[in-house]
Amino acid sequence: MRLAQSLLDKVEFQRDNAALFIQKAPGVDPSGEGMSWFGYLAALERIKLEERRRSELYHPATYSELITYYEAPIEAPIHKSTTASTDFEAHLTYEEGASIEEVLQRILITFDKAKEQVFEDGMESDFSKELVSFIKNYSNIAVRMLTDLILNEEVNAEVASEALRWLGQIEDPKTYSHRLWLLEQSLYCSSARVRDGAALGLAFLDDPHAIPDLREAIQREPYPELREDLEQVLEQLENSHRCRSS
Amino acid sequence: MPFVLRKIRKAKWYKHRGVPWLAQGDLQADALGDLQTSNNELSVYYIESNKSNLERVVTALAANRDFISNLDYALLDLEVLSELGIKTERRAGETPDAQVNTWHIDLVELSAHKLMDLADAIYKHADKRRLQKKKLIQLIVKAVTSKCIDGTRLSPELSKEIDKSLG
């Protein structure tokens, strides 16, 4: 995975032991729509390069927070993530010849092609196979891309819903916390179909961590049938929680 | 009154309040994807009026897939089919449960108009339900153990999940 040096040089950031603050990332976001992971990845790449330049041994670090500011004066961050510790190594998985822009392009093409498919629960599809392969090959970078596409509602709702179901099923411990976070946040998307996909993904993961978000989503859910389904998932997770703590 | 069961994806059948752009009483076009015909026929299952065979049918349908997932279905009064003039033919199903296969029905000679009427009837009158994966695992394990389901006919991925549950 690589970003052009000219883009890396433009990124301004600060960091401490807990957080990475991205202040400026001009030109790093090709979509121009605040896809903060470009700035984020660029900052990670810069840290790695600078440490190498100083001949310091590069130590993978983790941050519990990623905060992105693009404009000054700063009143509120445009993006604040408290999702999970960030594993540098997982984000900097290097694939010869594949740029971030190329990977994003491939994901977008996959989502676009999938608009024509009719998905069936319990059955694999061309889309699901490609999605699983993206996660296996690009790990959290792919999850970050999916996060931006789904939460910014830039992709077809039915395809996003299918993606969320699969994100709950994939067995990949490295991306687990990011997938869980994406599923939890997708409960607040404007499309009922996406919220449904998120609920199903969470049912697959069966992680009681999602209980507070599910409770919140149930309170907000305007549609009675979906509310019932959310309640069903909540009940399942509460049972799992009881079983694990007894 | 008996019912017919059709596998669906519930979210495609959300009504007006769940889909802001949808006019009152109108149906999402994607719902028709759940009624994809082949040779102008559509596969459904017969459900007794007291729903005594419902659990067995959904278990067999869930076991007839690549892997275990939630199962969404719609239950519609059988009588509605005759009101819509839809012809039915009993034909053997293809699930791993031989008994369930005898409850399979094909809706035949479906025209586009009839299919739209059927979609409208499902939208307005059918009871739409969901069974979660965890519940379905229990049901399939029970059905395999009691030999209702032929375990050799399960997909490899599904067999693996069932074996894991059986310990």
Side-chain angles (χ1 to χ4, degrees), chain A residues 176-224:
Chain A
Y176 184 90
S177 58
H178 287 76
R179 286 184 289 122
L180 172 63
W181 186 82
L182 169 56
L183 289 169
E184 289 169 342
Q185 296 309 304
S186 300
L187 290 171
Y188 307 113
C189 281
S190 70
S191 159
R193 231 185 269 190
V194 173
R195 298 198 296 276
D196 183 53
L200 286 166
L202 288 170
F204 283 124
L205 276 191
D206 201 27
D207 189 333
H209 184 275
I211 288 174
D213 279 305
L214 269 168
R215 285 200 182 121
E216 171 82 28
I218 289 166
Q219 293 239 311
R220 291 184 188 195
E221 183 52 59
Y223 188 54

Side-chain angles (χ1 to χ4, degrees), chain A residues 57-229:
Chain A
L57 190 61
Y58 171 63
H59 294 290
T62 57
Y63 296 109
S64 57
E65 266 192 317
L66 163 68
I67 301 171
T68 311
Y69 301 103
Y70 283 158
E71 300 295 335
I74 297 159
E75 287 183 359
I78 62 162
H79 177 82
K80 182 172 180 178
S81 158
T82 52
T83 59
S85 293
T86 301
D87 176 353
F88 260 34
E89 286 298 290
H91 282 73
L92 293 174
T93 307
Y94 188 86
E95 193 203 54
E96 199 67 52
S99 73
I100 284 176
E101 292 83 351
E102 283 162 357
V103 177
L104 176 65
Q105 210 48 42
R106 281 190 229 162
I107 290 184
L108 286 171
I109 289 169
T110 301
F111 268 76
D112 200 50
K113 272 195 307 190
K115 285 194 293 195
E116 308 300 322
Q117 292 181 41
V118 177
F119 301 114
E120 200 183 331
D121 294 318
M123 305 301 270
E124 282 188 334
S125 61
D126 291 343
F127 173 72
S128 70
K129 285 177 197 158
E130 287 194 53
L131 187 79
V132 171
S133 142
F134 279 125
I135 304 294
K136 300 280 180 200
N137 289 333
Y138 304 111
S139 195
N140 282 317
I141 288 178
V143 181
R144 282 267 169 197
M145 290 177 183
L146 294 171
T147 301
D148 282 322
L149 294 173
I150 294 172
L151 296 186
N152 292 330
E153 307 194 8
E154 289 173 6
V155 283
N156 176 287
E158 177 66 4
V159 185
S161 176
E162 180 69 6
L164 291 168
R165 290 162 204 240
W166 278 92
L167 286 171
Q169 291 186 74
I170 295 168
E171 285 185 22
D172 184 42
K174 260 202 310 195
T175 55
Y176 184 90
S177 58
H178 287 76
R179 286 184 289 122
L180 172 63
W181 186 82
L182 169 56
L183 289 169
E184 289 169 342
Q185 296 309 304
S186 300
L187 290 171
Y188 307 113
C189 281
S190 70
S191 159
R193 231 185 269 190
V194 173
R195 298 198 296 276
D196 183 53
L200 286 166
L202 288 170
F204 283 124
L205 276 191
D206 201 27
D207 189 333
H209 184 275
I211 288 174
D213 279 305
L214 269 168
R215 285 200 182 121
E216 171 82 28
I218 289 166
Q219 293 239 311
R220 291 184 188 195
E221 183 52 59
Y223 188 54
E225 273 199 59
L226 179 51
R227 202 181 313 129
E228 267 175 36
D229 294 333

Side-chain angles (χ1 to χ4, degrees), chain A residues 3-11 25-29 42 46 101:
Chain A
L3 277 173
Q5 187 62 47
S6 57
L7 294 182
L8 293 183
D9 291 340
K10 291 179 188 168
V11 180
V28 174
D29 173 6
R46 269 270 302 279
E101 292 83 351

